[in-house]
Amino acid sequence: MPIRYRCRHCETEVGQLPLDSIDEAFLQKNNIEPEEQHIYIQTGAEGDYTIQCICEECQTSLQKFPSYYALKKWIQ
């Protein structure tokens, strides 16, 4: 099952990794704290993983409009 990277703001798929599972080395390499894993990593019904990240376009928008950081979902 692949690991998908999806923008948490616009929900665009950023990329995929053809891995079978997420192990501790992967989590440490990506600096995901154990108490934050449920926020950024979702497990699908088929055993696939989705990692919430941010795409370049949304990052650029956040840099231009820093007040967007206060909003949980700013793209409607």
Side-chain angles (χ1 to χ4, degrees), residues 5-70:
Y5 285 83
R6 186 174 303 274
C7 179
R8 63 183 181 180
H9 298 290
C10 67
E11 299 184 8
T12 300
E13 187 168 308
V14 178
Q16 287 188 33
L17 293 175
L19 300 176
D20 292 330
S21 65
I22 293 181
D23 60 8
E24 289 298 317
F26 176 83
L27 296 174
Q28 290 175 355
K29 183 178 178 183
N30 288 294
N31 297 323
I32 301 173
E33 298 294 327
E35 59 272 4
E36 296 177 337
Q37 290 176 11
H38 71 281
I39 298 170
Y40 298 107
I41 301 173
Q42 285 82 40
T43 305
E46 298 177 9
D48 57 327
Y49 294 98
T50 301
I51 310 257
Q52 299 294 319
C53 61
I54 185 167
C55 70
E56 290 182 30
E57 291 181 33
C58 289
Q59 179 65 33
T60 301
S61 295
L62 286 169
Q63 288 173 338
K64 288 181 183 176
F65 305 102
S67 61
Y68 287 176
Y69 279 106

